Amino acid sequence: MPVLHVAAECAPFAKAGGLADVVGALPQALEVPTAVVLPFYGGLDGRLAERAGALARVHTGMVWLDGWFPFEVWRSDAISDEVPLYLVAEPAHFGDDGVYFRASDGAWFERGEVRYLAFQLTVLDWLRSKNTPLAGRGRQPDGLHLHDHHTGLIPVLLRHDPANAAVADLPTVLTVHSADHHGEIGWPVWDSLGVAVPDRAALDHLGVVNSLKAGVGHADAVTTVSPTYARELVASPEPSHGLDYAFRLAGDRLAGIVNGIDAEVWDPATDPHLPAPFSADDLRGKAETKNAVCAELGLDAGRPLAVFVGRLTPEKGAEVLAPGLARILDQTDAAVAVLGSGYAEHEAALGDVASGAPDGRMSLTLAFDEALAHRLYGAADLFLMPSRQEPCGLGQLYAMRYGAPPVVHGVGGLCDTVEPWDGAAGTGFRFGAFAPDAFVDATRAALAVLADGDARARLQQHGMRRDSSWAASARAYERLYRSVDIG
Ligand code: GLC
């Protein structure tokens, strides 16, 4: 039952966010044979190639996109011997190292809206060549597991483009990691492809081709990364920016399966990024880690340390974060560390809070830094996650595993994964209204609980011993595969 995962990101090879973590970990947790295919960002001379180890070329082809574009598919065994990684080298659209933004200057790609269309066309060309044996098994994929809008056109192109008749029956599962981005393509570009589509209304949303809507409408099964987010997508237009009708139409094709974490990469007992390892049985290394990180960042280690790690975007609650942190610094004795990058206005607002903070109280690192993220999870007493919306969220899972109870907005996967402290049990703290005051009140309440050594120990133990591994969710995906005849 080989399943081919098709995605724009896969950790550690190409990562912009949580999508990469999931695509890097889920295939390895599945008991069914799987492979992963992604764009070969930067090609053979790029940065991804340095991590991909030995490469073998398995296919060459060409796709038409208002002109012919040649591509090559390369196979790497850098994920594992069991899970081959395929990389589609198509220099016209993926010659740059950057995933969503140009690596050189952070700017948007020119012709950005056609990059993932080009990727999807190359994958389809490769599939119909029947030249896709999954390493050593000599079998074609029995089904496709697609991720996010970058792959949302594949179900409709498979079924309705006569060129793909040879693979038109391949079952597809689409997982929606975020309904914030839709993969919009103007009709003139689409029309230049000469691709057959069922009817334009099936692809159109507000006058342009909407890749996410197309995928939700045509995949055999649609999942989102938590049950609560699935309900939210159906209930109102906000979480998907107007595609609620498409999610409602998916009916019982739509399910929520909560994410796990890679329990080997995210294990404080063996994490090579931590200055001192620790575990639920022996937390001494956590105190040492906190001291080292506070020294590194110029923070007062004698204070409780509250940490934010994440993108500085509206979805992650950046509007609540900056005013909230200003008040937390004012009204509590906590020190605060922020790591992330994102919209200029949110970076600037946090910069103002940091420059107004007393010595030793706040550090701000405007960067994407995986190693520092690990150290911060290790050092944190409290993890702040005021997301406006959160399909699943991985930060709270990492934080719980690293003994840092999270303070979360009660939304999406945060509801499904963080059990509010009730005085005796629980793994974190939750607030209801998406507003700085509610965030600050919950943080103050959390700091008060942490000041009580017994309560703190219980919170940490519950969080660290929580099973956030992929095992249960991988079984749920396998059941779903069987339900759509993959296998
Ligand atoms: C996206 C979502 C996040 C989710 C991740 C992996 O980044 O915003 O909530 O955990 O994808 O599915």
Side-chain angles (χ1 to χ4, degrees):
M1 193 213 296
V3 177
L4 180 63
H5 287 261
V6 189
E9 300 180 34
C10 176
F13 309 100
K15 172 162 171 166
L19 167 64
D21 290 321
V22 172
V23 177
L26 170 62
Q28 300 186 70
L30 290 165
E31 277 166 8
V32 301
T34 54
V36 177
V37 60
L38 49 140
F40 201 161
Y41 301 101
L44 284 171
D45 300 323
R47 264 184 252 148
L48 199 173
E50 287 164 21
R51 303 186 135 187
L55 291 164
R57 191 169 59 194
V58 296
H59 179 71
T60 55
M62 249 196 235
V63 290
W64 175 263
L65 197 82
D66 209 7
W68 285 108
F69 291 89
F71 71 94
E72 296 171 337
V73 182
W74 294 81
R75 198 184 78 213
S76 143
D77 58 6
I79 295 183
S80 72
D81 289 343
E82 286 78 37
V83 182
L85 169 67
Y86 293 98
L87 298 163
V88 180
E90 193 271 286
H93 297 97
F94 295 101
D96 191 283
D97 284 326
V99 178
Y100 305 126
F101 304 100
R102 272 203 313 243
S104 51
D105 57 3
W108 291 100
F109 287 102
E110 283 156 40
R111 278 167 65 85
E113 83 280 16
V114 298
R115 290 172 76 237
Y116 290 100
L117 174 57
F119 171 58
Q120 294 173 86
L121 292 172
T122 59
V123 170
L124 287 164
D125 184 83
W126 177 42
L127 286 170
R128 66 181 178 243
S129 74
K130 300 270 182 180
N131 195 14
T132 54
L134 295 181
R137 300 172 200 270
R139 290 186 55 187
Q140 304 300 323
D142 288 338
L144 303 179
H145 191 150
L146 310 169
H147 296 271
D148 271 351
H149 74 83
H150 318 101
T151 58
L153 294 166
I154 286 180
V156 74
L157 293 173
L158 264 181
R159 307 273 185 271
H160 297 284
D161 185 347
N164 296 318
V167 285
D169 293 337
L170 264 186
T172 54
V173 173
L174 172 69
T175 294
V176 179
H177 297 261
S178 163
D180 270 319
H181 304 285
H182 295 182
E184 297 179 329
I185 301 165
W187 280 108
V189 175
W190 181 269
D191 287 336
S192 70
L193 291 172
V195 164
V197 292
D199 70 282
R200 292 168 88 91
L203 300 190
D204 186 274
H205 179 66
L206 303 177
V208 293
V209 175
N210 187 301
S211 307
L212 185 62
K213 173 185 165 173
V216 170
H218 292 87
D220 296 303
V222 181
T223 69
T224 70
V225 288
S226 69
T228 300
Y229 188 58
R231 284 192 291 276
E232 290 169 353
L233 287 172
V234 167
S236 80
E238 286 82 26
S240 63
H241 309 284
L243 290 185
D244 50 320
Y245 69 98
F247 285 100
R248 275 195 294 278
L249 281 172
D252 56 14
R253 284 186 299 117
L254 175 65
I257 300 177
V258 85
N259 286 331
I261 60 177
D262 188 324
E264 275 173 34
V265 173
W266 294 96
D267 181 354
T270 54
D271 189 334
H273 300 296
L274 296 186
F278 59 90
S279 67
D281 294 328
D282 181 356
L283 278 158
R284 278 171 302 179
K286 184 159 176 78
E288 256 182 75
T289 298
K290 178 178 170 186
N291 285 335
V293 170
C294 285
E296 172 190 346
L297 298 175
L299 292 169
D300 177 353
R303 296 171 179 277
L305 176 62
V307 163
F308 173 93
V309 176
R311 282 174 283 139
L312 302 173
T313 59
E315 308 92 69
K316 298 293 171 193
E319 296 105 305
V320 159
L321 184 67
L325 289 183
R327 281 178 233 176
I328 287 166
L329 288 169
D330 220 35
Q331 298 174 15
T332 77
D333 64 348
V336 169
V338 174
L339 168 64
S341 60
Y343 291 18
E345 74 223 65
H346 301 312
E347 293 190 351
L350 284 164
D352 288 346
V353 179
S355 57
D359 276 358
R361 296 290 302 280
M362 176 164 176
S363 80
L364 172 63
T365 311
L366 296 174
F368 181 89
D369 183 336
E370 192 78 7
L372 178 56
H374 281 248
R375 292 200 295 283
L376 284 172
Y377 287 113
D381 294 302
L382 200 61
F383 187 73
L384 307 177
M385 204 152 167
S387 307
R388 175 188 283 275
Q389 55 186 46
E390 196 60 80
C392 177
L394 298 169
Q396 81 281 16
L397 302 178
Y398 302 147
M400 287 188 281
R401 189 123 207 260
Y402 281 59
V407 176
V408 302
H409 179 209
V411 70
L414 298 174
C415 289
D416 297 331
T417 55
V418 178
E419 196 192 321
W421 174 250
D422 65 3
T427 57
F429 305 87
R430 202 191 274 179
F431 60 95
F434 181 69
D437 279 348
F439 169 48
V440 173
D441 288 349
T443 305
R444 288 172 54 170
L447 287 165
V449 173
L450 290 184
D452 167 354
D454 275 357
R456 176 192 169 95
R458 248 183 285 167
L459 264 162
Q460 282 183 319
Q461 291 296 325
H462 289 152
M464 293 184 81
R465 295 181 193 278
R466 177 182 193 276
D467 181 7
S468 298
S469 73
W470 269 105
S473 300
R475 301 296 84 78
Y477 277 112
E478 284 159 1
R479 282 194 295 278
L480 183 78
Y481 293 156
R482 285 194 291 273
S483 77
V484 296
D485 290 334
I486 298 180

